[in-house]
Amino acid sequence: MADKPKYIPIPETAIPKTLRAYLSYRKHHAEQFTPSKEIPIADTDDPDVLRKLISYMKLHPEQAYGVVYQSRYNTVLVDPIQKLDGTFYPYERVLPTAGNGIVIVTRKEGRFILLKQYRHALRKAQYGFPRGYAEPNEAPIENVRRELTEELHAIIRRTPVSLGFLEPDSGLTSRRTEVFLAELDSYTASIHHEGILEVREASLEEMEDMIQNGRLSDGYTIGALALWKLVVSTKNQL
């Protein structure tokens, strides 16, 4: 009987840099790689699949696979999705590096507090509730206090409470944003901090009018307001 061919490990230098980072990321974040029949991510733990992917990347150098960018806030992956014929196609997604962020339904004496901020991705200003990325090793409630201190120099009346979660763009990111309600005793606007141009107070009716006429289009804020209304209406029925 012929001897089985010996397994020859893949030299690390033969693996493209973005793919090496991907293998490490996958090892430490297995929960982000749940198997799926609909969109099957290639099993890069399988040496044969990994060899095929490396060869495929050499034939198609214009298409990177793996961890193509990472900052303290975002990790951008290009997953290799394996087709039935054994070839691959890319599927991009953005994952939170430090953890999920928060959005804060901020109120003072029965009125909502909105920030008008310049949003780089849109290249224009937009009204919305205060929100922010997570920081490493920081609990969500600490994130809330930090954001309100930085953006509003706020004095919080009582401990902010969680209203639930939003998944704002499931076609692109796994980010799951927690919504909090914070009641303030006082605040002072941090104009020009992180693009803040204006702080305004609004009633619920004014908020709804801004949404209807398109002056308030931020999905985080609209979703957070919907959660707030649901919680308030439920409490009023008890």
Side-chain angles (χ1 to χ4, degrees):
M1 182 182 292
D3 292 336
K4 279 188 175 182
K6 291 183 178 179
Y7 168 70
I8 302 174
I10 303 170
E12 186 174 321
T13 54
I15 305 174
K17 181 179 178 181
T18 57
L19 196 52
R20 289 202 305 270
Y22 185 80
L23 297 177
S24 176
Y25 188 89
R26 187 166 183 166
K27 179 180 179 181
H28 293 94
H29 300 85
E31 74 284 356
Q32 298 288 357
F33 297 86
T34 305
S36 165
K37 292 181 180 179
E38 289 74 22
I39 304 178
I41 299 175
D43 182 7
T44 50
D45 289 333
D46 184 326
D48 291 333
V49 172
L50 183 57
R51 285 189 176 88
K52 287 180 183 178
L53 181 57
I54 293 170
S55 297
Y56 193 78
M57 291 177 69
K58 287 180 180 178
L59 291 173
H60 302 275
E62 74 284 356
Q63 176 60 65
Y65 286 94
V67 178
V68 298
Y69 174 79
Q70 188 169 51
S71 71
R72 63 186 292 190
Y73 302 113
N74 295 303
T75 298
V76 182
L77 303 184
V78 179
D79 290 299
I81 309 303
Q82 193 159 16
K83 296 190 284 187
L84 293 176
D85 63 4
T87 58
F88 308 92
Y89 70 90
Y91 209 132
E92 301 171 9
R93 54 180 170 150
V94 181
L95 309 181
T97 301
N100 294 306
I102 48 94
V103 57
I104 313 160
V105 178
T106 310
R107 287 165 56 85
K108 180 179 180 292
E109 296 176 355
R111 292 176 66 81
F112 297 98
I113 299 171
L114 295 172
L115 305 178
K116 185 177 183 181
Q117 283 181 279
Y118 189 83
R119 294 297 184 187
H120 170 64
L122 297 176
R123 302 304 294 164
K124 67 177 185 179
Q126 185 181 53
Y127 282 107
F129 288 135
R131 57 183 165 95
Y133 289 111
E135 293 287 347
N137 303 314
E138 186 175 72
I141 193 68
E142 295 170 344
N143 200 359
V144 170
R145 294 183 185 280
R146 175 177 50 77
E147 289 294 334
L148 291 178
T149 298
E150 291 177 355
E151 298 185 347
L152 289 169
H153 302 290
I155 303 298
I156 304 172
R157 174 169 294 183
R158 61 181 69 92
T159 302
V161 295
S162 177
L163 301 179
F165 293 86
L166 301 174
E167 293 169 345
D169 189 355
S170 57
L172 178 64
T173 178
S174 68
R175 192 177 304 281
R176 191 165 185 255
T177 302
E178 190 164 7
V179 180
F180 284 85
L181 169 64
E183 299 281 353
L184 306 186
D185 276 330
S186 65
Y187 67 90
T188 303
S190 299
I191 301 299
H192 302 310
H193 172 75
E194 294 187 350
I196 296 174
L197 304 174
E198 175 192 342
V199 177
R200 66 167 292 177
E201 296 184 9
S203 65
L204 176 59
E205 292 74 17
E206 289 169 329
M207 291 272 290
E208 291 175 335
D209 183 64
M210 290 175 71
I211 293 170
Q212 286 183 329
N213 65 31
R215 294 183 64 207
L216 200 167
S217 59
D218 174 50
Y220 286 96
T221 300
I222 295 171
L225 182 66
L227 278 176
W228 176 84
K229 289 174 69 175
L230 181 64
V231 170
V232 169
S233 65
T234 300
K235 286 184 176 180
N236 288 342
Q237 291 174 9
L238 296 179

